[in-house]
Amino acid sequence: MATTASPSTTTTPRSFLSSPSFSLRASKSSHLRTTRRLPVNVRCASSSPAADTSYTTKVSRNANIAKLQAGYLFPEIARRRAAHLLKHPDAKIISLGIGDTTEPIPEVITNAMAERAHALSTVDGYSGYGAEQGEKKLRAAIAATYYADLGIDETDIFVSDGAKCDISRLQVLFGSKVKIAVQDPSYPAYVDSSVIMGQTDLYQQDVQKYGNIEYMRCSPENGFFPDLSKVPRTDIIFFCSPNNPTGAAASRDQLTQLVKFAKDNGSIIVYDSAYAMYISDDSPKSIFEIPGAKEVALETASFSKYAGFTGVRLGWTVVPKELLFSDGHPVAKDFNRIVCTSFNGASTISQAGGLGCLSPEGLKAMQDVVGFYKENTKIIVDTFESLGFNVYGAKNAPYVWVHFPDRNSWDVFAEILEKANVVTTPGSGFGPGGEGFVRVSAFGHRENIIEAARRLKQLYK
């Protein structure tokens, strides 16, 4: 029997469809049909083979995948959110967990995409495969907008479908024999992609770390910048500023120390600047503002959190010509080979949107969007500070890092979800250094941010 979602439950089916109970019902009812197509969340977690499987191939499972701990952080949060909704179907959940943008893409940008899309239906405007590295005009605009006077040429820029995708392409570039260092806490894609590539040893449950990764502790005590004198040499250093999840932006002096550290050790910095546009003080927005950085660093960035492109997908990676492997071979040449092998280039429609973003009107519109989310951030900060919590980040990022002393992060996550119907992100999901913290995202409609603040005050008053 077909079922139709009612208007009052439009938020429920998205999560419900990814739940185990729905999967079971759907498998038992092959005739099930819906009157409209609903979006489905696919859980990024390994699952056990069905008990009645009678045939297996002779292909061994990738042992590196087997090292991964449970599911990727954000799908795991989505799973717990879905389970909560099954228990409380009438709950009005506000999601301040995954850093997904909520506000509409500015019209000057969508107009540029619409115009390009329409042109594809004409003989003169149609285009097929484009350059894997991105359209020349967009690469030039990125170089002029974000790297003017920094010695970065348009040919150093590789346009992509987002920074997260480029992180995995970079891991393929570096291979399985390198050792990486990450900020602790940090965006989980760095560690998980390292595990998948075979760079790590097994997960050590007692310390909640993978072997053969250097975790650089970043805490309130050290200003969220690692003590480099205690960090052993690694081949690759993943460094995000402003940091996800802590929201801390490294100062010019700190980044100068980092570049010197990399040069002294012959390491390569993978600098993630996905939130640079949120910086409101004099912290560098690019690693290439630091003298000598082009010899030891590359940089990845994205339009996702500036223009609301989390679904549109458009980013870039800068690989300077000066960056060389130990044998003198340019890193950019090998990255170009990886890109040409694994990628057919970003969507031409997305790239048109990127050009719209970088027009004078587009830049102003993105600044307005960023400003809106920063106002949300202030509401969240004021809420937790009024309740007596120590709060970090926020000034230069859309994330608020809240300390819950002597508490388990997942327990705090569960408490806020169960008692306030608000989704946050447990700090321990970003590494052992995140234990005792939760990350609260400022991406949300203003009325939801205000309501979440009210609920949190009610919970922790």
Side-chain angles (χ1 to χ4, degrees):
M1 181 176 66
T3 59
T4 304
S6 67
S8 63
T9 58
T10 53
T11 59
T12 302
R14 179 185 294 270
S15 302
F16 178 71
L17 285 171
S18 63
S19 68
S21 60
F22 179 86
S23 301
L24 182 61
R25 293 172 197 167
S27 65
K28 288 182 177 180
S29 304
S30 60
H31 64 281
L32 181 66
R33 295 291 184 269
T34 57
T35 57
R36 60 186 176 92
R37 187 175 181 181
L38 295 173
V40 177
N41 286 341
V42 178
R43 192 191 311 169
C44 298
S46 57
S47 57
S48 301
D52 61 348
T53 298
S54 57
Y55 174 80
T56 61
T57 70
K58 296 181 180 179
V59 180
S60 298
R61 184 187 181 199
N62 184 334
N64 295 319
I65 301 290
K67 293 179 190 175
L68 291 171
Q69 296 299 296
Y72 186 66
L73 173 61
F74 298 110
E76 175 61 20
I77 289 172
R79 185 190 70 79
R80 297 191 185 206
R81 178 186 185 278
H84 179 72
L85 270 176
L86 284 175
K87 250 175 92 175
H88 309 283
D90 296 326
K92 306 298 183 186
I93 291 180
I94 297 174
S95 181
L96 303 181
I98 185 171
D100 193 3
T101 51
T102 58
E103 301 312 293
I105 298 173
E107 195 169 349
V108 63
I109 299 169
T110 56
N111 283 344
M113 291 191 283
E115 184 177 342
R116 179 71 67 89
H118 180 71
L120 292 173
S121 65
T122 68
V123 172
D124 292 338
Y126 176 76
S127 62
Y129 291 127
E132 291 91 345
Q133 304 82 4
E135 296 178 5
K136 178 179 174 63
K137 189 175 180 181
L138 178 57
R139 297 168 80 190
I142 291 171
T145 302
Y146 296 112
Y147 305 101
D149 303 321
L150 297 182
I152 296 299
D153 185 76
E154 66 184 68
T155 58
D156 297 327
I157 292 169
F158 295 80
V159 176
S160 72
D161 51 347
K164 183 177 182 180
C165 303
D166 273 347
I167 288 165
S168 289
R169 292 185 189 109
L170 288 167
Q171 291 284 30
V172 173
L173 168 73
F174 297 131
S176 62
K177 303 301 182 184
V178 299
K179 181 174 181 176
I180 74 164
V182 297
Q183 292 158 291
D184 177 25
S186 67
Y187 182 47
Y190 312 140
V191 169
D192 283 13
S193 60
S194 178
V195 175
I196 291 169
M197 275 302 301
Q199 298 168 358
T200 73
D201 296 330
L202 294 175
Y203 186 74
Q204 301 165 3
Q205 192 67 49
D206 56 335
V207 292
Q208 298 183 26
K209 298 178 180 179
Y210 287 96
N212 205 44
I213 290 182
E214 188 63 35
Y215 291 76
M216 304 184 297
R217 181 57 64 92
C218 297
S219 65
E221 290 72 28
N222 62 16
F224 295 102
F225 187 81
D227 182 350
L228 297 176
S229 68
K230 297 180 180 178
V231 177
R233 182 201 175 273
T234 63
D235 299 293
I236 310 299
I237 303 168
F238 282 94
F239 197 92
C240 179
S241 180
N243 176 265
N244 177 13
T246 68
S251 68
R252 191 169 303 275
D253 179 65
Q254 289 172 333
L255 290 182
T256 299
Q257 293 177 46
L258 181 65
V259 167
K260 182 180 185 302
F261 178 76
K263 189 166 286 190
D264 289 346
N265 286 286
S267 306
I268 292 177
I269 301 166
V270 176
Y271 190 80
D272 187 341
S273 63
Y275 302 95
M277 202 168 178
Y278 286 81
I279 292 176
S280 56
D281 59 19
D282 60 355
S283 301
K285 295 182 178 180
S286 168
I287 190 67
F288 301 122
E289 294 182 37
I290 308 303
K294 291 195 292 293
E295 297 174 351
V296 295
L298 53 84
E299 181 169 302
T300 186
S302 168
F303 288 101
S304 287
K305 307 304 167 64
Y306 306 163
F309 271 28
T310 50
V312 173
R313 309 305 306 152
L314 191 69
W316 69 91
T317 290
V318 183
V319 189
K321 297 176 183 64
E322 295 87 343
L323 185 62
L324 307 175
F325 286 116
S326 59
D327 63 356
H329 188 80
V331 173
K333 284 192 174 181
D334 282 2
F335 188 61
N336 185 65
R337 186 68 173 85
I338 295 294
V339 168
C340 291
T341 298
S342 62
F343 187 51
N344 276 329
S347 158
T348 57
I349 297 171
S350 297
Q351 292 190 73
L355 286 168
C357 289
L358 300 179
S359 68
E361 299 85 358
L363 286 168
K364 172 63 167 59
M366 288 196 297
Q367 288 165 356
D368 289 344
V369 170
V370 168
F372 175 86
Y373 290 130
K374 292 191 76 170
E375 290 172 0
N376 283 352
T377 304
K378 186 177 186 307
I379 294 171
I380 297 168
V381 169
D382 289 348
T383 297
F384 279 104
E385 286 186 340
S386 72
L387 294 166
F389 290 96
N390 287 326
V391 179
Y392 305 94
K395 178 180 179 182
N396 294 312
Y399 299 124
V400 181
W401 191 238
V402 188
H403 192 202
F404 287 78
D406 304 318
R407 296 286 307 276
N408 176 281
S409 294
W410 278 106
D411 288 348
V412 176
F413 165 87
E415 177 178 80
I416 295 175
L417 178 59
E418 286 287 336
K419 297 181 179 179
N421 289 314
V422 173
V423 176
T424 58
T425 305
S428 58
F430 299 97
E435 187 60 270
F437 292 84
V438 296
R439 190 195 76 176
V440 185
S441 167
F443 295 117
H445 301 311
R446 182 60 49 79
E447 61 270 22
N448 285 343
I449 298 293
I450 293 172
E451 172 60 17
R454 186 194 67 78
R455 296 181 191 178
L456 289 164
K457 287 179 179 178
Q458 184 68 26
L459 176 60
Y460 291 114
K461 65 181 180 181

